[in-house]
Amino acid sequence: MKHWNISFAGCGFRSIYHLGALSCILERVPRLVHGASKICGASSGCLVAAALTVGIPMGEFIVFVKLLLLCLLRAVQDILLEKLPADAHLRASGKLCVSLTRLSDRQNVLVSEFDSREELIQALLCSCFFPVYCGFIPPSYHGVHYMDGALSNNLPLFEQRNTITVAPFSGESDICPREGTFNFFEVHYGNVSIQVNTGNVHRICTSFLPPGPEVGGDDWLTVSLFLCAYWIEGIS
């Protein structure tokens, strides 16, 4: 296969799965990531895709993604402004593909060109905005309000046969957990195949729950202090 894409499904706090999968891929077959024509993502998956696309080193990459996954959406913008390089939009244009859901008609929009770093950040924020959970007023991109890309297309470019799909739910994705039992039923949500089993029920439920300190380690403490400072600033 001369050309291929990689697409990361949005899954809230379950995106920690992407870190494990990527650590293995970058150790064993780094060309699978570095040689991809497009790196795609929706919701939290687009944050992983963006970090890969702009070339954040793996050591910083792990901390970067954990911080993003554990923070409130209003704090994510500050982290992106701090961590993304000044030319992030140039690195991302033509390679990063972000899935958005247009608020007015619930239609999917894929964005791959960015005129500035601020425009790139705004697209990422729109793709991560889950209604109610993240607030009630969705962010805008080019003057149009968008919400979580997973609501309309959780695996951008999944329909192309050369796209490698990554999802933390057992199903038909190319890279995903494997259950030890047979599964005769599956559902599709935003183009992601999800088998009906107890493992996936747990994964879906915990997608909306931040991992505890035993998962986050020192980063969890860093995030806790960050959030406390942010909340204190907000009420002062």
Side-chain angles (χ1 to χ4, degrees):
M1 186 166 56
K2 294 183 179 180
H3 303 284
W4 65 91
N5 312 307
I6 300 180
S7 189
F8 295 94
C11 48
F13 297 109
R14 273 284 158 182
S15 284
I16 202 77
Y17 175 86
H18 294 325
L19 295 181
L22 281 171
S23 295
C24 182
I25 292 172
L26 291 172
E27 178 182 345
R28 296 174 181 271
V29 280
R31 184 172 177 272
L32 192 64
V33 171
H34 300 316
S37 298
K38 285 187 179 295
I39 301 179
C40 318
S43 193
S44 57
C46 77
L47 301 178
V48 176
L52 277 175
T53 304
V54 302
I56 295 178
M58 191 60 192
E60 296 180 24
F61 171 80
I62 294 175
V63 177
F64 169 78
V65 174
K66 283 183 178 179
L67 286 170
L68 288 172
L69 295 178
L70 290 171
C71 282
L72 300 173
L73 189 63
R74 63 178 181 173
V76 169
Q77 182 174 12
D78 291 341
I79 297 174
L80 290 171
L81 284 169
E82 177 186 351
K83 297 294 184 180
L84 293 184
D87 63 345
H89 60 292
L90 299 177
R91 302 185 192 187
S93 289
K95 182 152 189 166
L96 175 65
C97 182
V98 180
S99 175
L100 309 175
T101 302
R102 193 162 48 219
L103 179 65
S104 60
D105 57 7
R106 308 297 193 271
Q107 293 299 304
N108 184 252
V109 175
L110 298 180
V111 180
S112 289
E113 299 293 333
F114 312 94
D115 293 331
S116 66
R117 188 176 72 138
E118 290 70 25
E119 186 175 293
L120 168 61
I121 291 174
Q122 204 60 29
L124 297 174
L125 293 176
C126 286
S127 185
C128 292
F129 182 85
F130 197 89
V132 181
Y133 189 85
C134 294
F136 295 93
I137 302 176
S140 61
Y141 176 74
H142 284 184
V144 179
H145 290 289
Y146 292 94
M147 53 186 178
D148 201 307
L151 297 174
S152 56
N153 185 356
N154 202 16
L155 274 177
L157 304 186
F158 85 103
E159 71 281 358
Q160 297 186 13
R161 297 182 62 184
N162 64 340
T163 297
I164 300 169
T165 55
V166 187
F169 310 110
S170 61
E172 298 301 320
S173 297
D174 297 310
I175 300 175
C176 67
R178 302 299 177 186
E179 298 293 337
T181 58
F182 290 103
N183 292 273
F184 298 102
F185 303 100
E186 66 176 316
V187 296
H188 289 262
Y189 176 76
N191 299 322
V192 177
S193 164
I194 304 176
Q195 294 172 339
V196 179
N197 54 53
T198 55
N200 275 340
V201 170
H202 172 74
R203 294 180 187 108
I204 292 171
C205 291
T206 53
S207 293
F208 294 93
L209 299 174
E214 69 279 2
V215 176
D218 293 337
D219 297 329
W220 184 87
L221 177 60
T222 301
V223 172
S224 298
L225 294 174
F226 181 90
L227 288 178
C228 286
Y230 210 93
W231 287 328
I232 291 172
E233 180 182 348
I235 62 177
S236 62

